[in-house]
Amino acid sequence: LRALQPSYLEQVQKSIKGNLQGQKSLDIAPLMEFFNNNNGAPPPSWDELSTKLASQQTASEKKFRSRLEQGLEHSPLATHRVFASVAESRPMVTFYRDGASWCPYCQKVWIALEEKQIPYEIVKVDMNCYAGSSKPAQFLDIQP
C-alpha cells in the first residue's frame, strides 16, 4: 500500500506540480497565419469537407462506406450490424462498448456476436479510464 504512504503522496504531488508549469498565455500566431494565407476566408464547413472527401474516395472506399451504413461491415466505425444470412436481420441486441474499441471484455462479446451472427445495435460508451464519463442514461439503468 505504498500509494497511501504520506512520503509517496508528497512525491506524487511535487511531480504533478512540476509538470503543470507551462505556457500561461495562448499563442494565436498560427491561427492568424492560417487566416492570412486563406485571404481571411473561414475554414471549410462540414458539408464542404464531406463533399471534398466524397470526390477523393476510391470505389472500394465508397463501397465500404455504403456497406457500413447498411450494417453489413464488421468495423469499429459501425453503429449497427446485420447479417445477410439471417432471415429476420434487425438488431436483436444492444451492444454497449467502449468508444475506442480497446476494451478486451467488449472484444470478447463482439467476437461472439459475430460468430453467432446475432444482429446488434452498437452504443459507444465513454469509459472512465478514457477521461470521460458521459454514459447514456439507458446504460446507467442497467449498469450503475
Side-chain angles (χ1 to χ4, degrees):
L1 296 175
R2 180 175 179 225
L4 300 178
Q5 295 175 351
S7 61
Y8 183 73
L9 292 175
E10 288 173 9
Q11 182 183 0
V12 171
Q13 186 179 17
K14 286 178 185 176
S15 175
I16 290 172
K17 281 185 180 178
N19 290 332
L20 292 180
Q21 296 173 359
Q23 191 172 1
K24 303 292 185 218
S25 63
L26 178 64
D27 181 15
I28 62 166
L31 181 62
M32 295 309 294
E33 183 180 338
F34 170 80
F35 281 116
N36 291 337
N37 290 341
N38 290 323
N39 298 323
S45 69
W46 285 112
D47 290 335
E48 292 168 338
L49 288 173
S50 295
T51 302
K52 187 173 183 177
L53 174 65
S55 70
Q56 294 177 356
Q57 284 181 325
T58 64
S60 63
E61 289 172 328
K62 289 179 182 178
K63 181 180 176 184
F64 170 77
R65 292 290 176 180
S66 174
R67 290 179 51 81
L68 188 65
E69 288 177 16
Q70 296 170 31
L72 299 173
E73 285 289 336
H74 169 79
S75 168
L77 302 173
T79 57
H80 65 287
R81 182 76 160 105
V82 295
F83 298 91
S85 62
V86 178
E88 181 71 26
S89 192
R90 67 178 212 288
M92 299 168 50
V93 173
T94 300
F95 176 37
Y96 295 95
R97 71 169 180 85
D98 65 310
S101 299
W102 291 349
C103 175
Y105 305 107
C106 295
Q107 291 173 356
K108 290 174 188 177
V109 172
W110 197 1
I111 291 168
L113 289 170
E114 286 292 319
E115 285 296 315
K116 296 290 186 180
Q117 293 193 349
I118 300 171
Y120 56 92
E121 174 187 2
I122 299 170
V123 178
K124 295 177 184 174
V125 177
D126 289 336
M127 305 301 246
N128 286 338
C129 60
Y130 300 152
S133 59
S134 57
K135 293 183 173 57
Q138 61 208 32
F139 176 76
L140 292 174
D141 288 343
I142 60 173
Q143 179 64 44

